């Protein structure tokens, strides 16, 4: 199933609301980030919920697809909404995404370096963060600043 693709065939580039789910994977006080192939930015693994999925299922599935890692014992990190959720892509597609972000330090598997959506994956400490995807900057910076959880924005 590819909900976004199916909806785009119906509504073209008009505004589409989505639910995105991601996981902050932390190891030794460092966050795992992926370097995107479509833009020169970094962000956490995650993606869009498909109909019938739970927030947790979406976050775990997307993280495994993008990193090869199996995340466990997820805790709610934050709920993100507001104007920062709007994006217009180069092809003209408009989207407004509400983000449900989880956090864990428990994961297993072998980390893939390159996937369909990313060039590489790397762990970063809060004081050495690279250029972060604008739409994910809020939660990455909340992590780096040890914000009180859960975050509701």
């Amino acid at each position: 199933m590819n909900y976004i693709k199916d909806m785009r065939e119906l509504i073209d580039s008009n505004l589409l609301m989505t639910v995105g789910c991601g996981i902050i994977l932390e190891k030794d006080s460092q966050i795992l980030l992926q370097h995107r192939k479509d833009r020169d930015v970094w962000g956490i693994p995650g993606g869009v919920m498909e109909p019938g999925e739970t927030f947790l299922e979406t976050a775990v599935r997307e993280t495994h697809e993008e990193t090869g890692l199996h995340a466990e014992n997820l805790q709610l990190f934050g709920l993100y909404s507001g104007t920062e959720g709007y994006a217009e892509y180069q092809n003209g597609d408009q989207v407004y995404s509400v983000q449900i972000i989880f956090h864990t330090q428990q994961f297993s598997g072998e980390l893939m370096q390159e996937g369909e959506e990313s060039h590489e994956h790397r762990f970063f400490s809060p004081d050495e963060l690279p250029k972060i995807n604008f739409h994910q900057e809020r939660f990455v910076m909340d992590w780096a600043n040890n914000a009180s959880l859960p975050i509701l924005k």
Side-chain angles (χ1 to χ4, degrees):
M1 176 178 277
N2 190 327
Y3 175 73
I4 301 297
K5 182 179 176 187
D6 293 345
M7 291 304 297
R8 284 291 170 215
E9 290 178 9
L10 296 172
I11 67 167
D12 197 34
S13 292
N14 291 308
L15 183 64
L16 177 64
M17 287 190 66
T18 63
V19 176
C21 300
I23 304 176
I24 292 174
L25 298 164
E26 185 176 339
K27 177 180 161 187
D28 301 326
S29 299
Q30 295 185 320
I31 188 172
L32 179 66
L33 298 175
Q34 61 182 4
H35 189 207
R36 302 275 313 171
K37 282 187 174 179
D38 55 353
R39 294 174 302 232
D40 186 23
V41 293
W42 293 75
I44 67 169
V48 176
M49 177 183 278
E50 292 286 344
E53 280 187 313
T54 67
F55 301 132
L56 288 170
E57 289 169 341
T58 302
V60 169
R61 173 184 55 79
E62 286 283 348
T63 297
H64 182 259
E65 288 175 2
E66 294 175 4
T67 68
L69 299 176
H70 301 279
E72 301 170 6
N73 195 28
L74 303 184
Q75 302 298 313
L76 179 62
F77 183 83
L79 306 174
Y80 293 83
S81 58
T83 57
E84 294 91 342
Y86 175 81
E88 184 171 339
Y89 295 103
Q90 288 180 338
N91 65 0
D93 287 355
Q94 298 174 60
V95 65
Y96 175 77
S97 185
V98 173
Q99 300 288 322
I100 292 88
I101 306 302
F102 297 95
H103 175 268
T104 190
Q105 295 181 19
Q106 298 178 8
F107 49 92
S108 60
E110 188 169 328
L111 181 61
M112 293 187 317
Q113 279 307 314
E114 185 170 357
E116 188 176 318
E117 299 177 19
S118 57
H119 291 290
E120 69 173 302
H121 295 91
R122 191 184 323 164
F123 285 91
F124 293 90
S125 65
D127 60 347
E128 64 176 8
L129 293 172
K131 180 180 176 186
I132 304 296
N133 178 341
F134 168 77
H135 300 288
Q136 296 190 356
E137 188 171 20
R138 294 187 295 169
F139 31 93
V140 172
M141 294 314 297
D142 285 342
W143 169 83
N145 294 323
N146 288 313
S148 297
L149 304 180
I151 297 162
L152 305 174
K153 291 187 176 179

